[in-house]
Short mmCIF file of all heavy atoms in Angstrom, two decimals:
data_model
loop_
_atom_site.label_atom_id
_atom_site.label_comp_id
_atom_site.label_asym_id
_atom_site.label_seq_id
_atom_site.Cartn_x
_atom_site.Cartn_y
_atom_site.Cartn_z
N MET X 1 -45.11 -35.55 -6.32
CA MET X 1 -43.77 -35.96 -6.00
C MET X 1 -42.79 -35.10 -6.78
O MET X 1 -42.95 -34.88 -7.98
CB MET X 1 -43.59 -37.43 -6.35
CG MET X 1 -42.15 -37.88 -6.32
SD MET X 1 -41.96 -39.58 -6.77
CE MET X 1 -41.50 -40.20 -5.18
N ILE X 2 -41.77 -34.65 -6.12
CA ILE X 2 -40.73 -33.84 -6.76
C ILE X 2 -39.51 -34.74 -6.98
O ILE X 2 -39.02 -35.35 -6.03
CB ILE X 2 -40.35 -32.64 -5.88
CG1 ILE X 2 -41.55 -31.71 -5.72
CG2 ILE X 2 -39.17 -31.90 -6.48
CD1 ILE X 2 -41.33 -30.59 -4.74
N ILE X 3 -39.07 -34.81 -8.21
CA ILE X 3 -37.88 -35.59 -8.54
C ILE X 3 -36.71 -34.63 -8.63
O ILE X 3 -36.73 -33.68 -9.41
CB ILE X 3 -38.06 -36.36 -9.86
CG1 ILE X 3 -39.21 -37.34 -9.72
CG2 ILE X 3 -36.77 -37.08 -10.23
CD1 ILE X 3 -39.55 -38.06 -11.00
N ASN X 4 -35.71 -34.86 -7.81
CA ASN X 4 -34.54 -33.99 -7.77
C ASN X 4 -33.44 -34.57 -8.66
O ASN X 4 -32.99 -35.69 -8.44
CB ASN X 4 -34.05 -33.87 -6.33
CG ASN X 4 -32.92 -32.88 -6.19
OD1 ASN X 4 -32.64 -32.13 -7.12
ND2 ASN X 4 -32.28 -32.90 -5.06
N ILE X 5 -33.04 -33.83 -9.66
CA ILE X 5 -31.96 -34.25 -10.55
C ILE X 5 -30.71 -33.46 -10.16
O ILE X 5 -30.71 -32.24 -10.29
CB ILE X 5 -32.31 -34.01 -12.02
CG1 ILE X 5 -33.56 -34.79 -12.39
CG2 ILE X 5 -31.14 -34.41 -12.93
CD1 ILE X 5 -34.10 -34.47 -13.76
N PRO X 6 -29.69 -34.13 -9.66
CA PRO X 6 -28.49 -33.40 -9.21
C PRO X 6 -27.64 -32.92 -10.39
O PRO X 6 -26.77 -33.63 -10.88
CB PRO X 6 -27.75 -34.44 -8.38
CG PRO X 6 -28.18 -35.75 -8.94
CD PRO X 6 -29.60 -35.55 -9.43
N LEU X 7 -27.92 -31.72 -10.86
CA LEU X 7 -27.23 -31.22 -12.04
C LEU X 7 -25.77 -30.88 -11.77
O LEU X 7 -24.97 -30.82 -12.69
CB LEU X 7 -27.96 -29.99 -12.59
CG LEU X 7 -29.36 -30.25 -13.13
CD1 LEU X 7 -30.00 -28.95 -13.57
CD2 LEU X 7 -29.32 -31.23 -14.27
N PHE X 8 -25.43 -30.61 -10.53
CA PHE X 8 -24.06 -30.24 -10.21
C PHE X 8 -23.33 -31.35 -9.47
O PHE X 8 -22.43 -31.10 -8.69
CB PHE X 8 -24.05 -28.93 -9.41
CG PHE X 8 -24.61 -27.80 -10.20
CD1 PHE X 8 -25.86 -27.29 -9.92
CD2 PHE X 8 -23.91 -27.27 -11.27
CE1 PHE X 8 -26.40 -26.26 -10.67
CE2 PHE X 8 -24.43 -26.24 -12.02
CZ PHE X 8 -25.68 -25.73 -11.72
N SER X 9 -23.72 -32.57 -9.74
CA SER X 9 -23.06 -33.74 -9.18
C SER X 9 -21.73 -33.95 -9.91
O SER X 9 -21.71 -34.02 -11.14
CB SER X 9 -23.96 -34.96 -9.35
OG SER X 9 -23.26 -36.14 -9.09
N PRO X 10 -20.62 -34.05 -9.19
CA PRO X 10 -19.32 -34.24 -9.87
C PRO X 10 -19.28 -35.46 -10.80
O PRO X 10 -18.76 -35.34 -11.91
CB PRO X 10 -18.33 -34.38 -8.71
CG PRO X 10 -18.96 -33.62 -7.60
CD PRO X 10 -20.45 -33.84 -7.75
N PRO X 11 -19.83 -36.62 -10.42
CA PRO X 11 -19.79 -37.74 -11.38
C PRO X 11 -20.59 -37.46 -12.65
O PRO X 11 -20.18 -37.87 -13.74
CB PRO X 11 -20.40 -38.91 -10.61
CG PRO X 11 -20.27 -38.56 -9.18
CD PRO X 11 -20.32 -37.08 -9.12
N LEU X 12 -21.72 -36.76 -12.53
CA LEU X 12 -22.50 -36.45 -13.72
C LEU X 12 -21.79 -35.41 -14.59
O LEU X 12 -21.89 -35.46 -15.82
CB LEU X 12 -23.90 -35.97 -13.35
CG LEU X 12 -24.82 -37.05 -12.78
CD1 LEU X 12 -26.17 -36.45 -12.42
CD2 LEU X 12 -24.97 -38.20 -13.73
N LEU X 13 -21.08 -34.49 -13.97
CA LEU X 13 -20.30 -33.53 -14.74
C LEU X 13 -19.15 -34.23 -15.47
O LEU X 13 -18.85 -33.90 -16.62
CB LEU X 13 -19.76 -32.41 -13.84
CG LEU X 13 -20.81 -31.45 -13.30
CD1 LEU X 13 -20.18 -30.48 -12.31
CD2 LEU X 13 -21.49 -30.71 -14.42
N VAL X 14 -18.52 -35.19 -14.82
CA VAL X 14 -17.47 -35.97 -15.48
C VAL X 14 -18.05 -36.76 -16.65
O VAL X 14 -17.45 -36.83 -17.72
CB VAL X 14 -16.78 -36.92 -14.47
CG1 VAL X 14 -15.88 -37.92 -15.15
CG2 VAL X 14 -15.98 -36.10 -13.45
N ALA X 15 -19.23 -37.36 -16.44
CA ALA X 15 -19.88 -38.11 -17.52
C ALA X 15 -20.20 -37.20 -18.70
O ALA X 15 -19.95 -37.57 -19.86
CB ALA X 15 -21.16 -38.77 -17.00
N ALA X 16 -20.72 -36.01 -18.43
CA ALA X 16 -21.02 -35.08 -19.51
C ALA X 16 -19.76 -34.64 -20.23
O ALA X 16 -19.74 -34.53 -21.47
CB ALA X 16 -21.75 -33.86 -18.96
N ALA X 17 -18.68 -34.42 -19.49
CA ALA X 17 -17.41 -34.03 -20.11
C ALA X 17 -16.86 -35.15 -20.98
O ALA X 17 -16.35 -34.90 -22.08
CB ALA X 17 -16.40 -33.65 -19.03
N LEU X 18 -16.97 -36.40 -20.52
CA LEU X 18 -16.48 -37.53 -21.32
C LEU X 18 -17.28 -37.68 -22.61
O LEU X 18 -16.72 -37.96 -23.67
CB LEU X 18 -16.55 -38.82 -20.50
CG LEU X 18 -15.49 -39.00 -19.43
CD1 LEU X 18 -15.79 -40.24 -18.59
CD2 LEU X 18 -14.11 -39.08 -20.04
N ILE X 19 -18.59 -37.50 -22.52
CA ILE X 19 -19.42 -37.60 -23.72
C ILE X 19 -19.07 -36.48 -24.69
O ILE X 19 -18.93 -36.71 -25.90
CB ILE X 19 -20.91 -37.59 -23.34
CG1 ILE X 19 -21.26 -38.88 -22.60
CG2 ILE X 19 -21.79 -37.43 -24.57
CD1 ILE X 19 -22.64 -38.90 -21.98
N ALA X 20 -18.89 -35.26 -24.18
CA ALA X 20 -18.52 -34.14 -25.06
C ALA X 20 -17.16 -34.36 -25.69
O ALA X 20 -16.97 -34.13 -26.90
CB ALA X 20 -18.54 -32.84 -24.27
N LEU X 21 -16.20 -34.82 -24.91
CA LEU X 21 -14.87 -35.11 -25.46
C LEU X 21 -14.94 -36.24 -26.48
O LEU X 21 -14.18 -36.26 -27.45
CB LEU X 21 -13.89 -35.46 -24.35
CG LEU X 21 -13.42 -34.31 -23.47
CD1 LEU X 21 -12.57 -34.84 -22.32
CD2 LEU X 21 -12.64 -33.31 -24.30
N GLY X 22 -15.83 -37.19 -26.24
CA GLY X 22 -16.01 -38.28 -27.19
C GLY X 22 -16.50 -37.81 -28.54
O GLY X 22 -16.03 -38.26 -29.58
N PHE X 23 -17.45 -36.85 -28.53
CA PHE X 23 -17.92 -36.29 -29.79
C PHE X 23 -16.81 -35.55 -30.52
O PHE X 23 -16.69 -35.63 -31.74
CB PHE X 23 -19.11 -35.35 -29.56
CG PHE X 23 -20.40 -36.07 -29.30
CD1 PHE X 23 -21.16 -35.76 -28.18
CD2 PHE X 23 -20.87 -37.05 -30.16
CE1 PHE X 23 -22.35 -36.41 -27.94
CE2 PHE X 23 -22.05 -37.71 -29.91
CZ PHE X 23 -22.80 -37.39 -28.80
N ILE X 24 -16.00 -34.83 -29.78
CA ILE X 24 -14.89 -34.09 -30.39
C ILE X 24 -13.82 -35.06 -30.89
O ILE X 24 -13.30 -34.91 -32.00
CB ILE X 24 -14.30 -33.08 -29.39
CG1 ILE X 24 -15.34 -32.00 -29.08
CG2 ILE X 24 -13.02 -32.47 -29.93
CD1 ILE X 24 -14.97 -31.12 -27.91
N ALA X 25 -13.48 -36.06 -30.09
CA ALA X 25 -12.43 -37.01 -30.45
C ALA X 25 -12.83 -37.92 -31.60
O ALA X 25 -11.97 -38.46 -32.30
CB ALA X 25 -12.04 -37.85 -29.24
N TYR X 26 -14.13 -38.11 -31.80
CA TYR X 26 -14.61 -39.00 -32.86
C TYR X 26 -14.13 -38.55 -34.23
O TYR X 26 -13.91 -39.39 -35.11
CB TYR X 26 -16.14 -39.08 -32.83
CG TYR X 26 -16.69 -40.19 -33.68
CD1 TYR X 26 -16.82 -41.47 -33.17
CD2 TYR X 26 -17.06 -39.98 -35.00
CE1 TYR X 26 -17.31 -42.50 -33.94
CE2 TYR X 26 -17.55 -41.00 -35.78
CZ TYR X 26 -17.68 -42.26 -35.25
OH TYR X 26 -18.16 -43.28 -36.02
N VAL X 27 -13.95 -37.25 -34.39
CA VAL X 27 -13.47 -36.72 -35.67
C VAL X 27 -12.06 -37.24 -35.96
O VAL X 27 -11.72 -37.55 -37.10
CB VAL X 27 -13.50 -35.18 -35.65
CG1 VAL X 27 -12.91 -34.61 -36.92
CG2 VAL X 27 -14.91 -34.68 -35.44
N LEU X 28 -11.24 -37.35 -34.92
CA LEU X 28 -9.86 -37.80 -35.10
C LEU X 28 -9.72 -39.32 -35.05
O LEU X 28 -8.95 -39.89 -35.80
CB LEU X 28 -8.97 -37.16 -34.03
CG LEU X 28 -8.98 -35.63 -34.01
CD1 LEU X 28 -8.21 -35.12 -32.81
CD2 LEU X 28 -8.42 -35.08 -35.31
N SER X 29 -10.44 -39.95 -34.13
CA SER X 29 -10.36 -41.39 -33.98
C SER X 29 -11.71 -41.92 -33.51
O SER X 29 -12.14 -41.61 -32.39
CB SER X 29 -9.27 -41.76 -32.97
OG SER X 29 -9.34 -43.14 -32.67
N ALA X 30 -12.34 -42.71 -34.34
CA ALA X 30 -13.65 -43.26 -33.98
C ALA X 30 -13.55 -44.16 -32.76
O ALA X 30 -14.43 -44.15 -31.90
CB ALA X 30 -14.24 -44.03 -35.15
N ARG X 31 -12.48 -44.91 -32.65
CA ARG X 31 -12.31 -45.83 -31.53
C ARG X 31 -12.24 -45.09 -30.20
O ARG X 31 -12.91 -45.44 -29.23
CB ARG X 31 -11.05 -46.67 -31.74
CG ARG X 31 -10.87 -47.80 -30.78
CD ARG X 31 -9.65 -48.63 -31.13
NE ARG X 31 -9.73 -49.23 -32.44
CZ ARG X 31 -10.25 -50.44 -32.70
NH1 ARG X 31 -10.74 -51.14 -31.71
NH2 ARG X 31 -10.27 -50.92 -33.91
N VAL X 32 -11.45 -44.02 -30.15
CA VAL X 32 -11.32 -43.22 -28.92
C VAL X 32 -12.64 -42.50 -28.63
O VAL X 32 -13.08 -42.44 -27.47
CB VAL X 32 -10.15 -42.22 -29.05
CG1 VAL X 32 -10.12 -41.27 -27.86
CG2 VAL X 32 -8.84 -42.95 -29.18
N GLY X 33 -13.28 -41.96 -29.65
CA GLY X 33 -14.54 -41.27 -29.46
C GLY X 33 -15.62 -42.17 -28.89
O GLY X 33 -16.33 -41.80 -27.95
N VAL X 34 -15.74 -43.37 -29.43
CA VAL X 34 -16.75 -44.32 -28.94
C VAL X 34 -16.42 -44.76 -27.52
O VAL X 34 -17.32 -44.89 -26.68
CB VAL X 34 -16.86 -45.53 -29.89
CG1 VAL X 34 -17.68 -46.64 -29.27
CG2 VAL X 34 -17.46 -45.10 -31.21
N ALA X 35 -15.15 -44.95 -27.21
CA ALA X 35 -14.76 -45.34 -25.84
C ALA X 35 -15.12 -44.24 -24.84
O ALA X 35 -15.63 -44.52 -23.75
CB ALA X 35 -13.28 -45.66 -25.78
N LEU X 36 -14.86 -42.98 -25.20
CA LEU X 36 -15.18 -41.88 -24.30
C LEU X 36 -16.69 -41.70 -24.12
O LEU X 36 -17.17 -41.49 -23.00
CB LEU X 36 -14.55 -40.58 -24.80
CG LEU X 36 -13.03 -40.49 -24.68
CD1 LEU X 36 -12.52 -39.25 -25.40
CD2 LEU X 36 -12.62 -40.48 -23.23
N ILE X 37 -17.43 -41.79 -25.21
CA ILE X 37 -18.89 -41.68 -25.11
C ILE X 37 -19.45 -42.85 -24.29
O ILE X 37 -20.35 -42.66 -23.46
CB ILE X 37 -19.53 -41.64 -26.51
CG1 ILE X 37 -19.12 -40.37 -27.24
CG2 ILE X 37 -21.05 -41.74 -26.43
CD1 ILE X 37 -19.49 -40.35 -28.72
N GLY X 38 -18.92 -44.04 -24.49
CA GLY X 38 -19.37 -45.20 -23.71
C GLY X 38 -19.06 -45.05 -22.23
O GLY X 38 -19.88 -45.39 -21.37
N ALA X 39 -17.87 -44.51 -21.90
CA ALA X 39 -17.52 -44.31 -20.49
C ALA X 39 -18.46 -43.29 -19.85
O ALA X 39 -18.92 -43.49 -18.72
CB ALA X 39 -16.07 -43.85 -20.38
N GLY X 40 -18.75 -42.22 -20.56
CA GLY X 40 -19.68 -41.23 -20.02
C GLY X 40 -21.08 -41.78 -19.84
O GLY X 40 -21.74 -41.52 -18.83
N SER X 41 -21.53 -42.58 -20.78
CA SER X 41 -22.85 -43.19 -20.68
C SER X 41 -22.92 -44.19 -19.53
O SER X 41 -23.92 -44.24 -18.80
CB SER X 41 -23.18 -43.88 -22.00
OG SER X 41 -24.42 -44.52 -21.94
N LEU X 42 -21.87 -44.95 -19.35
CA LEU X 42 -21.81 -45.91 -18.25
C LEU X 42 -21.85 -45.20 -16.91
O LEU X 42 -22.62 -45.57 -16.02
CB LEU X 42 -20.54 -46.76 -18.37
CG LEU X 42 -20.32 -47.80 -17.28
CD1 LEU X 42 -21.36 -48.90 -17.39
CD2 LEU X 42 -18.93 -48.39 -17.41
N ILE X 43 -21.05 -44.16 -16.74
CA ILE X 43 -21.03 -43.40 -15.49
C ILE X 43 -22.40 -42.78 -15.23
O ILE X 43 -22.93 -42.84 -14.12
CB ILE X 43 -19.93 -42.33 -15.51
CG1 ILE X 43 -18.56 -42.99 -15.50
CG2 ILE X 43 -20.07 -41.37 -14.33
CD1 ILE X 43 -17.42 -42.02 -15.76
N MET X 44 -22.98 -42.16 -16.26
CA MET X 44 -24.29 -41.52 -16.10
C MET X 44 -25.35 -42.54 -15.68
O MET X 44 -26.15 -42.28 -14.77
CB MET X 44 -24.70 -40.84 -17.40
CG MET X 44 -25.96 -40.01 -17.32
SD MET X 44 -27.53 -40.87 -17.59
CE MET X 44 -27.29 -41.60 -19.18
N GLY X 45 -25.36 -43.69 -16.31
CA GLY X 45 -26.35 -44.72 -15.97
C GLY X 45 -26.19 -45.22 -14.55
O GLY X 45 -27.18 -45.36 -13.82
N LEU X 46 -24.95 -45.47 -14.13
CA LEU X 46 -24.72 -45.98 -12.78
C LEU X 46 -25.05 -44.94 -11.71
O LEU X 46 -25.62 -45.27 -10.67
CB LEU X 46 -23.27 -46.45 -12.64
CG LEU X 46 -22.90 -47.67 -13.49
CD1 LEU X 46 -21.43 -47.99 -13.34
CD2 LEU X 46 -23.77 -48.86 -13.13
N VAL X 47 -24.71 -43.68 -11.96
CA VAL X 47 -25.04 -42.62 -10.99
C VAL X 47 -26.55 -42.45 -10.90
O VAL X 47 -27.10 -42.30 -9.81
CB VAL X 47 -24.35 -41.29 -11.38
CG1 VAL X 47 -24.89 -40.13 -10.57
CG2 VAL X 47 -22.85 -41.40 -11.20
N ALA X 48 -27.23 -42.48 -12.02
CA ALA X 48 -28.69 -42.33 -12.01
C ALA X 48 -29.36 -43.51 -11.31
O ALA X 48 -30.32 -43.31 -10.55
CB ALA X 48 -29.21 -42.19 -13.43
N ILE X 49 -28.87 -44.71 -11.51
CA ILE X 49 -29.42 -45.88 -10.83
C ILE X 49 -29.20 -45.76 -9.32
O ILE X 49 -30.07 -46.11 -8.52
CB ILE X 49 -28.80 -47.18 -11.38
CG1 ILE X 49 -29.35 -47.46 -12.78
CG2 ILE X 49 -29.09 -48.36 -10.46
CD1 ILE X 49 -28.65 -48.60 -13.49
N ASN X 50 -28.05 -45.25 -8.93
CA ASN X 50 -27.72 -45.11 -7.52
C ASN X 50 -28.61 -44.09 -6.82
O ASN X 50 -28.86 -44.19 -5.63
CB ASN X 50 -26.25 -44.73 -7.37
CG ASN X 50 -25.76 -44.87 -5.95
OD1 ASN X 50 -26.22 -45.74 -5.21
ND2 ASN X 50 -24.84 -44.03 -5.57
N ASP X 51 -29.10 -43.08 -7.54
CA ASP X 51 -29.88 -42.00 -6.94
C ASP X 51 -31.37 -42.07 -7.27
O ASP X 51 -32.04 -41.05 -7.29
CB ASP X 51 -29.34 -40.64 -7.42
CG ASP X 51 -27.97 -40.35 -6.86
OD1 ASP X 51 -27.63 -40.93 -5.82
OD2 ASP X 51 -27.23 -39.55 -7.47
N LEU X 52 -31.90 -43.26 -7.52
CA LEU X 52 -33.31 -43.39 -7.86
C LEU X 52 -34.20 -43.07 -6.66
O LEU X 52 -33.92 -43.52 -5.55
CB LEU X 52 -33.62 -44.81 -8.34
CG LEU X 52 -33.10 -45.18 -9.71
CD1 LEU X 52 -33.35 -46.66 -9.97
CD2 LEU X 52 -33.74 -44.34 -10.78
N PRO X 53 -35.27 -42.30 -6.87
CA PRO X 53 -36.20 -42.03 -5.75
C PRO X 53 -37.05 -43.26 -5.45
O PRO X 53 -37.23 -44.14 -6.31
CB PRO X 53 -37.05 -40.88 -6.27
CG PRO X 53 -36.96 -40.96 -7.75
CD PRO X 53 -35.62 -41.56 -8.06
N ALA X 54 -37.57 -43.30 -4.26
CA ALA X 54 -38.41 -44.43 -3.84
C ALA X 54 -39.66 -44.50 -4.73
O ALA X 54 -40.27 -43.48 -5.04
CB ALA X 54 -38.82 -44.26 -2.39
N GLY X 55 -39.97 -45.68 -5.16
CA GLY X 55 -41.14 -45.88 -6.00
C GLY X 55 -40.84 -45.95 -7.48
O GLY X 55 -41.70 -46.32 -8.28
N PHE X 56 -39.63 -45.58 -7.87
CA PHE X 56 -39.26 -45.61 -9.29
C PHE X 56 -38.12 -46.59 -9.57
O PHE X 56 -37.42 -46.46 -10.56
CB PHE X 56 -38.82 -44.21 -9.75
CG PHE X 56 -39.95 -43.25 -9.88
CD1 PHE X 56 -40.20 -42.33 -8.88
CD2 PHE X 56 -40.79 -43.28 -10.98
CE1 PHE X 56 -41.25 -41.45 -8.99
CE2 PHE X 56 -41.83 -42.41 -11.09
CZ PHE X 56 -42.07 -41.48 -10.10
N GLU X 57 -37.94 -47.56 -8.69
CA GLU X 57 -36.82 -48.49 -8.84
C GLU X 57 -36.91 -49.31 -10.13
O GLU X 57 -35.94 -49.41 -10.88
CB GLU X 57 -36.71 -49.43 -7.63
CG GLU X 57 -36.23 -48.76 -6.37
CD GLU X 57 -37.35 -48.14 -5.55
OE1 GLU X 57 -38.54 -48.32 -5.92
OE2 GLU X 57 -37.04 -47.46 -4.57
N ALA X 58 -38.07 -49.89 -10.40
CA ALA X 58 -38.21 -50.75 -11.57
C ALA X 58 -38.07 -49.96 -12.87
O ALA X 58 -37.34 -50.36 -13.78
CB ALA X 58 -39.54 -51.49 -11.53
N GLN X 59 -38.77 -48.83 -12.95
CA GLN X 59 -38.73 -48.03 -14.17
C GLN X 59 -37.33 -47.44 -14.38
O GLN X 59 -36.80 -47.43 -15.48
CB GLN X 59 -39.74 -46.88 -14.11
CG GLN X 59 -41.16 -47.32 -13.98
CD GLN X 59 -41.61 -47.42 -12.53
OE1 GLN X 59 -40.81 -47.57 -11.62
NE2 GLN X 59 -42.91 -47.37 -12.32
N GLY X 60 -36.74 -46.93 -13.31
CA GLY X 60 -35.41 -46.33 -13.40
C GLY X 60 -34.34 -47.35 -13.73
O GLY X 60 -33.42 -47.09 -14.51
N LEU X 61 -34.47 -48.54 -13.15
CA LEU X 61 -33.48 -49.58 -13.44
C LEU X 61 -33.55 -50.00 -14.90
O LEU X 61 -32.52 -50.20 -15.54
CB LEU X 61 -33.71 -50.79 -12.53
CG LEU X 61 -32.66 -51.89 -12.59
CD1 LEU X 61 -31.30 -51.34 -12.20
CD2 LEU X 61 -33.04 -53.04 -11.69
N ALA X 62 -34.76 -50.08 -15.45
CA ALA X 62 -34.90 -50.43 -16.86
C ALA X 62 -34.33 -49.33 -17.75
O ALA X 62 -33.56 -49.59 -18.67
CB ALA X 62 -36.36 -50.68 -17.20
N LEU X 63 -34.69 -48.09 -17.47
CA LEU X 63 -34.27 -46.97 -18.31
C LEU X 63 -32.76 -46.71 -18.21
O LEU X 63 -32.05 -46.67 -19.22
CB LEU X 63 -35.05 -45.71 -17.93
CG LEU X 63 -34.72 -44.45 -18.71
CD1 LEU X 63 -35.12 -44.63 -20.17
CD2 LEU X 63 -35.42 -43.26 -18.11
N PHE X 64 -32.27 -46.53 -17.01
CA PHE X 64 -30.86 -46.20 -16.84
C PHE X 64 -29.97 -47.43 -16.89
O PHE X 64 -28.78 -47.33 -17.15
CB PHE X 64 -30.65 -45.42 -15.54
CG PHE X 64 -31.34 -44.10 -15.56
CD1 PHE X 64 -32.39 -43.84 -14.70
CD2 PHE X 64 -30.95 -43.12 -16.44
CE1 PHE X 64 -33.04 -42.62 -14.73
CE2 PHE X 64 -31.59 -41.89 -16.48
CZ PHE X 64 -32.64 -41.65 -15.61
N GLY X 65 -30.55 -48.61 -16.67
CA GLY X 65 -29.80 -49.84 -16.83
C GLY X 65 -29.40 -50.05 -18.29
O GLY X 65 -28.30 -50.51 -18.59
N ILE X 66 -30.31 -49.68 -19.20
CA ILE X 66 -30.00 -49.77 -20.62
C ILE X 66 -28.84 -48.85 -20.95
O ILE X 66 -27.93 -49.21 -21.70
CB ILE X 66 -31.25 -49.44 -21.47
CG1 ILE X 66 -32.27 -50.56 -21.34
CG2 ILE X 66 -30.88 -49.22 -22.93
CD1 ILE X 66 -33.61 -50.24 -21.97
N SER X 67 -28.85 -47.65 -20.38
CA SER X 67 -27.76 -46.70 -20.62
C SER X 67 -26.43 -47.26 -20.13
O SER X 67 -25.41 -47.15 -20.80
CB SER X 67 -28.06 -45.38 -19.92
OG SER X 67 -26.99 -44.50 -20.03
N ALA X 68 -26.44 -47.88 -18.96
CA ALA X 68 -25.21 -48.44 -18.41
C ALA X 68 -24.71 -49.63 -19.25
O ALA X 68 -23.52 -49.75 -19.54
CB ALA X 68 -25.42 -48.87 -16.96
N VAL X 69 -25.64 -50.49 -19.66
CA VAL X 69 -25.25 -51.66 -20.46
C VAL X 69 -24.71 -51.22 -21.82
O VAL X 69 -23.68 -51.72 -22.29
CB VAL X 69 -26.45 -52.62 -20.62
CG1 VAL X 69 -26.17 -53.67 -21.67
CG2 VAL X 69 -26.77 -53.27 -19.30
N VAL X 70 -25.39 -50.27 -22.46
CA VAL X 70 -24.93 -49.79 -23.77
C VAL X 70 -23.59 -49.08 -23.65
O VAL X 70 -22.72 -49.24 -24.51
CB VAL X 70 -26.00 -48.89 -24.43
CG1 VAL X 70 -25.45 -48.18 -25.64
CG2 VAL X 70 -27.21 -49.71 -24.80
N GLY X 71 -23.38 -48.33 -22.57
CA GLY X 71 -22.09 -47.68 -22.36
C GLY X 71 -20.96 -48.69 -22.21
O GLY X 71 -19.89 -48.54 -22.79
N GLY X 72 -21.22 -49.73 -21.43
CA GLY X 72 -20.22 -50.79 -21.29
C GLY X 72 -19.97 -51.51 -22.60
O GLY X 72 -18.82 -51.84 -22.94
N TRP X 73 -21.03 -51.74 -23.37
CA TRP X 73 -20.88 -52.39 -24.67
C TRP X 73 -20.07 -51.52 -25.63
O TRP X 73 -19.22 -52.02 -26.37
CB TRP X 73 -22.26 -52.69 -25.25
CG TRP X 73 -22.24 -53.21 -26.64
CD1 TRP X 73 -21.85 -54.46 -27.05
CD2 TRP X 73 -22.60 -52.49 -27.81
NE1 TRP X 73 -21.97 -54.54 -28.41
CE2 TRP X 73 -22.42 -53.35 -28.91
CE3 TRP X 73 -23.05 -51.20 -28.04
CZ2 TRP X 73 -22.67 -52.95 -30.20
CZ3 TRP X 73 -23.32 -50.81 -29.33
CH2 TRP X 73 -23.13 -51.68 -30.39
N MET X 74 -20.32 -50.21 -25.61
CA MET X 74 -19.56 -49.31 -26.48
C MET X 74 -18.07 -49.33 -26.13
O MET X 74 -17.22 -49.35 -27.01
CB MET X 74 -20.10 -47.87 -26.35
CG MET X 74 -21.44 -47.66 -26.99
SD MET X 74 -22.12 -46.05 -26.65
CE MET X 74 -21.05 -45.01 -27.65
N MET X 75 -17.77 -49.36 -24.83
CA MET X 75 -16.36 -49.41 -24.43
C MET X 75 -15.75 -50.75 -24.85
O MET X 75 -14.60 -50.79 -25.31
CB MET X 75 -16.25 -49.24 -22.91
CG MET X 75 -16.59 -47.82 -22.47
SD MET X 75 -16.62 -47.62 -20.70
CE MET X 75 -15.00 -48.18 -20.25
N TYR X 76 -16.49 -51.84 -24.72
CA TYR X 76 -15.98 -53.15 -25.13
C TYR X 76 -15.68 -53.17 -26.63
O TYR X 76 -14.63 -53.65 -27.07
CB TYR X 76 -17.01 -54.23 -24.77
CG TYR X 76 -16.71 -55.57 -25.38
CD1 TYR X 76 -15.68 -56.36 -24.87
CD2 TYR X 76 -17.41 -56.04 -26.47
CE1 TYR X 76 -15.39 -57.60 -25.43
CE2 TYR X 76 -17.14 -57.26 -27.04
CZ TYR X 76 -16.12 -58.03 -26.52
OH TYR X 76 -15.82 -59.25 -27.09
N VAL X 77 -16.61 -52.65 -27.43
CA VAL X 77 -16.43 -52.63 -28.88
C VAL X 77 -15.23 -51.75 -29.26
O VAL X 77 -14.47 -52.09 -30.17
CB VAL X 77 -17.72 -52.14 -29.59
CG1 VAL X 77 -17.47 -51.83 -31.05
CG2 VAL X 77 -18.81 -53.18 -29.45
N ALA X 78 -15.04 -50.66 -28.54
CA ALA X 78 -13.95 -49.74 -28.87
C ALA X 78 -12.58 -50.34 -28.58
O ALA X 78 -11.63 -50.09 -29.31
CB ALA X 78 -14.11 -48.43 -28.10
N VAL X 79 -12.47 -51.14 -27.53
CA VAL X 79 -11.14 -51.65 -27.15
C VAL X 79 -10.85 -53.04 -27.70
O VAL X 79 -9.69 -53.45 -27.72
CB VAL X 79 -10.95 -51.65 -25.62
CG1 VAL X 79 -11.02 -50.26 -25.08
CG2 VAL X 79 -11.92 -52.56 -24.93
N LYS X 80 -11.85 -53.77 -28.14
CA LYS X 80 -11.56 -55.12 -28.65
C LYS X 80 -10.84 -55.00 -30.02
O LYS X 80 -11.12 -54.11 -30.80
CB LYS X 80 -12.82 -55.97 -28.77
CG LYS X 80 -13.65 -55.73 -29.99
CD LYS X 80 -14.73 -56.76 -30.10
CE LYS X 80 -15.36 -56.60 -31.48
NZ LYS X 80 -16.32 -57.60 -31.75
N ASN X 81 -9.95 -55.87 -30.25
CA ASN X 81 -9.14 -55.90 -31.47
C ASN X 81 -8.44 -54.57 -31.72
O ASN X 81 -8.31 -54.13 -32.85
CB ASN X 81 -9.99 -56.28 -32.69
CG ASN X 81 -10.55 -57.68 -32.56
OD1 ASN X 81 -9.92 -58.54 -31.96
ND2 ASN X 81 -11.70 -57.90 -33.15
N GLY X 82 -8.04 -53.90 -30.65
CA GLY X 82 -7.40 -52.60 -30.77
C GLY X 82 -5.96 -52.72 -30.94
O GLY X 82 -5.11 -52.57 -31.61
#
């Protein structure tokens, strides 16, 4: 079985850019950096879940579902009590 990873998918490029900007912004503001990294992680997880190949639904949902949940949690932590 060949698993195709869409490296030039616009949503995945946006997710990678948000994560990179989050690492850079973390130096100036931890809250903004964590929010950006969380947004990128959330987008990446949801896009990966949406493009799962047949036969890998359970494993992919567990693996990328964790990424999506942690990304959402990071964004929640960053904006609460802000």
Side-chain angles (χ1 to χ4, degrees):
M1 168 182 250
I2 296 173
I3 298 175
N4 185 12
I5 300 171
L7 295 177
F8 297 106
S9 167
L12 289 179
L13 290 175
V14 169
L18 285 173
I19 292 170
L21 287 174
F23 283 128
I24 294 168
Y26 192 86
V27 176
L28 302 173
S29 171
R31 189 176 299 270
V32 173
V34 169
L36 289 171
I37 294 169
S41 178
L42 179 68
I43 292 170
M44 187 273 304
L46 293 177
V47 168
I49 288 171
N50 193 32
D51 291 337
L52 288 174
F56 287 100
E57 288 87 6
Q59 299 92 337
L61 187 60
L63 179 66
F64 296 114
I66 290 172
S67 175
V69 168
V70 169
W73 173 73
M74 288 173 71
M75 290 174 56
Y76 169 75
V77 168
V79 298
K80 81 171 190 174
N81 297 328

